[in-house]
Amino acid sequence: MRKAEIQAVLEIAKSLDALLFDEFQLSSGGTSRYYFDGRLVTLDPEGAYRVAKVILPIVLGCGASIVAGPAVAAIPIVASIVTLSFIEENPVSGLIVRSEPKKHGAKRGIEGSFKKGDKVVVVDDTCSTGGSLLHSISALEAAGCSICKVVCILDRKAGGSDAIRDRGIPFESLLEADQSGKIAVSS
């Protein structure tokens, strides 16, 4: 069942042309010959549902009560998981981690409700060097949360997943890419 759901995510990504080939500047500062636009998948009704359907059991399996991720790419992932968790009567809350705290209002760096000691799974669409994920992990840990796992749709195998594991946090991806941009279901 899980493998079939992940394969469906990959097929949706292909049908939406979420994988592009050219020269791309990455948020990590590097460049790549391919780009995976996970937002095309997670903002698609079926894509959002299928991503949430795969990740929610991982969240629940960790005993986490919260799913969190960096703004902007993780927002639709978090929202889909939170909504599905309510529908399936296993509610988990959601958090969004800003790259820097707001300069107005409550000046929060983390949006959503949580308390110290909450177990959290951090999600994102893509992991390259892991910069935004590591920032989110650090912010959540500084706020007193316990990170039990990181889950991404695509691991670009560019060092980020290793950096996360080096911090002692389990990492899982639905899909993985090689250097040429060939994407497959993670083994």
Side-chain angles (χ1 to χ4, degrees):
M1 167 74 168
R2 182 175 191 276
K3 207 107 167 145
E5 286 289 343
I6 296 171
Q7 186 63 43
V9 170
L10 178 56
E11 294 308 316
I12 291 165
K14 289 177 181 176
S15 73
L16 295 171
D17 293 325
L19 181 63
L20 304 172
F21 292 91
D22 203 342
E23 187 69 24
F24 295 95
Q25 181 75 38
L26 302 175
S27 63
S28 62
T31 59
S32 175
R33 295 180 314 182
Y34 72 94
Y35 179 73
F36 176 73
D37 190 347
R39 288 170 296 267
L40 289 177
V41 176
T42 60
L43 291 171
D44 174 80
E46 184 182 359
Y49 171 76
R50 293 200 183 270
V51 167
K53 193 76 174 159
V54 173
I55 297 177
L56 178 59
I58 297 168
V59 174
L60 297 173
C62 291
S65 59
I66 295 177
V67 61
V72 167
I75 292 172
I77 301 168
V78 170
S80 297
I81 293 168
V82 167
T83 301
L84 183 62
S85 76
F86 179 79
I87 292 167
E88 293 192 355
E89 299 180 2
N90 280 310
V92 297
S93 296
L95 300 174
I96 297 300
V97 181
R98 294 176 175 277
S99 57
E100 58 183 60
K102 284 176 33 176
K103 303 221 184 301
H104 60 282
K107 300 181 180 179
R108 291 188 185 108
I110 301 173
E111 299 291 346
S113 180
F114 66 95
K115 59 188 177 312
K116 289 184 180 186
D118 280 342
K119 290 178 78 174
V120 178
V121 171
V122 178
V123 298
D124 205 354
D125 65 341
T126 306
C127 180
S128 295
T129 62
S132 60
L133 285 163
L134 292 165
H135 167 77
S136 294
I137 291 165
S138 294
L140 290 161
E141 287 177 337
C145 295
S146 172
I147 311 304
C148 53
K149 187 172 266 197
V150 172
V151 181
C152 289
I153 297 173
L154 176 69
D155 183 3
R156 292 177 59 95
K157 300 288 187 181
S161 54
D162 292 333
I164 290 164
R165 288 184 188 103
D166 288 347
R167 285 192 59 171
I169 300 170
F171 178 90
E172 188 171 339
S173 66
L174 310 185
L175 306 169
E176 56 188 35
D178 63 18
Q179 293 302 317
S180 69
K182 181 179 179 219
I183 296 177
V185 173
S186 294
S187 47

